[in-house]
Amino acid sequence: MTIKADARKHYDALREVLYPEHGEREGVTVVSVLRALPDWCAMASADGHDDLVYEVKEDLRKRVRSARIILGYDAPQRMLKDSVCGDCGGALIVADDASSDVRCIGTPEAPSCGTKYFRWQWIELLEGEGA
C-alpha cells in the first residue's frame, strides 16, 4: 500500500511539473505509474527539477530495500555494539543473518572511510585484533 501511495504521489508531482496544462487522467494503474516514473524523472532532471527527482528516487529506493527484505532477497542490517572501525573509529554494520561483510559507516561527524572486514576476518574483530 505504501508503494502504491508513494508512486501515485510522485507521479502526480512529476505530472504537475512536466505537464501542468493537462488535467488529471482517470484510471491510471499503479503499473503504468511505476513504468512512467523513470522516464519522467529523466525529463524532470533535464528540466532542472533535481530536488523533486532526488525525492522520488530516495523514497522509491527505500521501498525497494524494504520489499527486498520482506521477500527474503536481503537481510536487515545492524550496527555492532562493541566494535568500531580500526581505521577511523566509525560505526560498523553487518547483515542480521551474517551474510555480508562488516563495513564502516563512519560517524555523525565524518563519512565512512570505506574499510571492510571480510567474513573470514570476523574472528579478528571478535578477538579485538582487527578493530
Side-chain angles (χ1 to χ4, degrees):
M1 295 303 286
T2 56
I3 292 171
K4 194 174 186 179
D6 282 352
R8 176 61 68 184
K9 174 182 80 169
H10 294 308
Y11 176 86
D12 290 342
L14 286 164
R15 186 185 45 75
E16 192 173 304
V17 297
L18 294 173
Y19 305 105
E21 66 280 352
H22 294 204
E24 188 172 334
R25 286 182 45 201
E26 296 294 322
V28 178
T29 66
V30 174
V31 172
S32 296
V33 167
L34 290 171
R35 285 184 178 149
L37 286 178
D39 291 335
W40 284 16
C41 280
M43 292 166 51
S45 183
D47 287 347
H49 300 285
D50 294 329
D51 290 342
L52 177 59
V53 171
Y54 178 80
E55 181 183 332
V56 171
K57 288 182 177 182
E58 272 302 297
D59 280 354
L60 295 180
R61 181 192 60 77
K62 291 174 187 173
R63 297 294 172 225
V64 167
R65 175 82 173 124
S66 296
R68 289 184 61 83
I69 290 170
I70 290 168
L71 294 171
Y73 291 108
D74 293 338
Q77 296 186 342
R78 303 273 184 223
M79 280 196 305
L80 300 179
K81 287 184 181 181
D82 299 325
S83 295
V84 295
C85 177
D87 290 337
C88 72
L92 297 173
I93 194 167
V94 67
D96 270 353
D97 65 357
S99 64
S100 71
D101 296 328
V102 176
R103 62 184 177 84
C104 174
I105 59 169
T107 66
E109 295 81 28
S112 169
C113 67
T115 299
K116 280 188 181 179
Y117 297 94
F118 299 102
R119 294 191 330 200
W120 62 84
Q121 293 174 308
W122 286 5
I123 193 68
E124 295 170 7
L125 284 173
L126 294 172
E127 292 174 348
E129 296 172 13

